Amino acid sequence: MSSVQPISTVPIQKIKAGPLPDRYARGWHCLGLTEKYKDGKAHSIQAFGTKLVAFKGEDGNVSILDGYCPHMGADLSLGCVEGNTVTCAFHHWRWGSDGACKAIPYARRIPPKARLKSWPVVEQNKLLFVWNDPEGNAPDPTVAIPRIAACFSDKWTDWKIEEWKINTNVRELVDNLADMAHFGPVHGQKIDYFANVFDGHVGYQMARGGHETLSDGELVADDAYFGPAYHITRMCANVGGNILNSILLNCHVPIDQDHFILRFGVIVEKNPALSDAENEAVADNYITLTQNAFHQDVEIWDSKTRVDNPVLCDGDGPVYQLREWYSQFYTDAAEVKKSPRNVFEWRREVGTWSQREDIPPEAVSDLDKI
C-alpha cells in the first residue's frame, strides 16, 4: 500500500511579475548604421509602441518623424523624399524635417494643426540614434553618446551588424549586465574577476577569465551601458597565439513592451602583419563566434518568463541594484535621485561579493573612452 507524502510546510516562492511600464525609457536608442538611412528612401521604423519614418534630406541630414500622416493616417514610409521633405503617398501632403506640413497640392492654405512630431536625432560612431523622452524634453547634453575613435580609424574593420527581433521586454537583456552566474552555464566562460559599477547614467561590467570559444587564454571584457539602450564592450582575447582587440555593439529599441529589436555588431582591430584579405577573414570568423555566443542568450530570453522577485543566492550579482539603477530611465527627469557611485566585486579566490565606492584597480583607467 502506497503512503501519502505529507505536504511540505516550507513556504514556496511564487513568481511575481507586475504590470509592464506604461512608458519607454528616456535616452538615446541606436537604429543601426547611419548609411542605411541615407539611400534617398523613406524608412519605416517600429519603435516605442508606434511607427516612425526616417529619411535623408538634400541637406544630408537624417530626420525622423512620426510615421503616420495625421491627414488620413497613411504610412509615410510608402512615400518619397523630395528636398528636405517626405511626401505622403496617399494625398501628397509634404512633411518637413521639423514636422510641419510644407505643402498640400490641392489646398490654398495649410491648416495650423498640420504638424507631427519630429524626433531628435544624432549621428555618432557611424551609427544613427533617436532620442526618446516620454515627457517630451530635449536631449540632455550630459548623456551624449561618447565618440569611439576606432570607428573612424583605418586600423579597424567596419561595423558588421546583425538584427534580431526578441520576443520579450527589454529588461531581460539589461539584466545580463549583473548576471555573472550565467557566463559559465550558457557561454562556457570561467570567471576569475567580475565587477559592476553604477555611476550616474552609466552602468559598467568588468569581466576577466577564460572562454571556450572566444579566447585561447584570458578574455578581458569591459562593458558599459551609456543610458538605457546603448551598450558597448571593449574585448581583448588571445586567438591562435595573437592578441585580438574588438569592440562589440549591443543595443536595443523597443517595438512595444513585449518585443524589441536587438542590434549586435562587432569591429575588430587589424593585425599589421596580415594582409587586408587575411584581416577580413580573421574578423569575419571572430565576428561569427561572438554573434553565436550572444545568440545563446537570445534563445533563453525568447522563452523565459519575467520575474520581479528573483530568488537570489550569495553567489549572484547585484541584480536588484542593477534594476534600481535602470529604473531612473523610466522616472520623470526631475524625480531622478542622484546616487553615489556603487561598485560590486567578485573574485574567484574569495568566492564572495563585496561592495565599495571607488573604481577597483583591476578596472581599466579609461572606461569612459570605450
Side-chain angles (χ1 to χ4, degrees):
M1 178 181 295
S2 62
S3 60
V4 177
Q5 296 295 320
I7 297 175
S8 173
T9 58
V10 177
I12 296 173
Q13 176 81 353
K14 293 184 178 181
I15 291 177
K16 295 180 180 179
L20 291 169
D22 60 357
R23 60 168 67 184
Y24 297 95
R26 176 184 60 257
W28 289 109
H29 292 72
C30 180
L31 299 172
L33 291 170
T34 303
E35 286 304 313
K36 172 183 175 181
Y37 301 92
K38 291 191 172 184
D39 58 359
K41 300 177 181 178
H43 293 262
S44 177
I45 300 170
Q46 294 281 355
F48 313 118
T50 187
K51 177 175 284 192
L52 313 179
V53 62
F55 63 96
K56 186 195 79 168
E58 64 181 4
D59 59 5
N61 296 320
V62 177
S63 300
I64 296 180
L65 308 175
D66 276 350
Y68 293 112
C69 181
H71 172 221
M72 294 291 283
D75 182 349
L76 290 176
S77 69
L78 299 178
C80 61
V81 179
E82 300 179 70
N84 290 318
T85 68
V86 60
T87 299
C88 179
F90 201 5
H91 299 92
H92 285 190
W93 288 36
R94 294 176 61 185
W95 301 92
S97 58
D98 60 354
C101 182
K102 303 300 183 181
I104 302 173
Y106 55 90
R108 288 181 294 178
R109 69 179 185 89
I110 298 174
K113 292 184 179 180
R115 178 176 291 273
L116 42 76
K117 180 177 179 179
S118 175
W119 295 67
V121 176
V122 71
E123 299 177 27
Q124 182 58 281
N125 303 325
K126 299 186 178 181
L127 304 169
L128 184 70
F129 295 83
V130 61
W131 173 263
N132 178 65
D133 188 336
E135 297 179 271
N137 295 321
D140 182 349
T142 66
V143 300
I145 298 298
R147 185 180 189 273
I148 301 175
C151 294
F152 306 94
S153 171
D154 58 7
K155 295 180 181 179
W156 288 70
T157 64
D158 293 328
W159 284 114
K160 294 181 185 291
I161 298 176
E162 292 286 339
E163 295 185 11
W164 298 308
K165 180 181 177 182
I166 311 299
N167 300 315
T168 190
N169 186 265
V170 297
R171 193 185 71 181
E172 304 302 332
L173 167 64
V174 178
D175 272 352
N176 255 24
L177 193 70
D179 189 4
M180 181 197 71
H182 92 285
F183 283 99
V186 177
H187 303 299
Q189 187 171 354
K190 179 184 176 183
I191 299 296
D192 295 317
Y193 176 83
F194 191 94
N196 284 127
V197 182
F198 305 117
D199 192 7
H201 76 290
V202 183
Y204 297 110
Q205 178 198 97
M206 287 146 278
R208 309 287 185 268
H211 198 288
E212 288 183 353
T213 57
L214 297 182
S215 181
D216 299 327
E218 184 184 49
L219 180 70
V220 175
D222 294 311
D223 307 35
Y225 262 102
F226 295 98
Y230 173 66
H231 182 205
I232 290 293
T233 302
R234 180 173 51 194
M235 202 155 63
C236 179
N238 187 314
V239 180
N242 295 311
I243 297 300
L244 185 65
N245 292 308
S246 61
I247 295 175
L248 278 58
L249 168 72
N250 164 26
C251 58
H252 66 265
V253 176
I255 299 172
D256 52 38
Q257 297 293 6
D258 297 306
H259 309 86
F260 63 91
I261 294 297
L262 172 66
R263 292 180 173 87
F264 183 81
V266 183
I267 61 174
V268 176
E269 187 177 30
K270 299 175 183 178
N271 185 338
L274 301 179
S275 67
D276 288 344
E278 289 171 328
N279 269 308
E280 282 297 318
V282 170
D284 286 343
N285 180 62
Y286 199 65
I287 286 165
T288 299
L289 291 175
T290 55
Q291 289 175 340
N292 289 343
F294 199 83
H295 204 267
Q296 293 169 326
D297 293 300
V298 174
E299 291 178 340
I300 294 176
W301 296 332
D302 263 346
S303 60
K304 74 182 295 295
T305 192
R306 181 183 177 93
V307 182
D308 289 344
N309 61 333
V311 179
L312 302 180
C313 67
D314 58 5
D316 283 314
V319 175
Y320 280 112
Q321 291 87 348
L322 165 68
R323 292 182 177 182
E324 178 64 25
W325 168 81
Y326 192 62
S327 69
Q328 67 179 294
F329 305 115
Y330 293 85
T331 304
D332 286 353
E335 297 179 9
V336 175
K337 299 178 181 178
K338 186 176 181 180
S339 302
R341 174 188 291 157
N342 285 314
V343 182
F344 301 88
E345 276 188 309
W346 184 90
R347 300 171 186 273
R348 176 171 294 280
E349 66 267 24
V350 179
T352 58
W353 285 86
S354 61
Q355 187 173 357
R356 55 197 291 175
E357 292 186 2
D358 58 319
I359 294 291
E362 287 79 0
V364 293
S365 61
D366 56 346
L367 274 172
D368 289 325
K369 298 179 182 178
I370 288 179

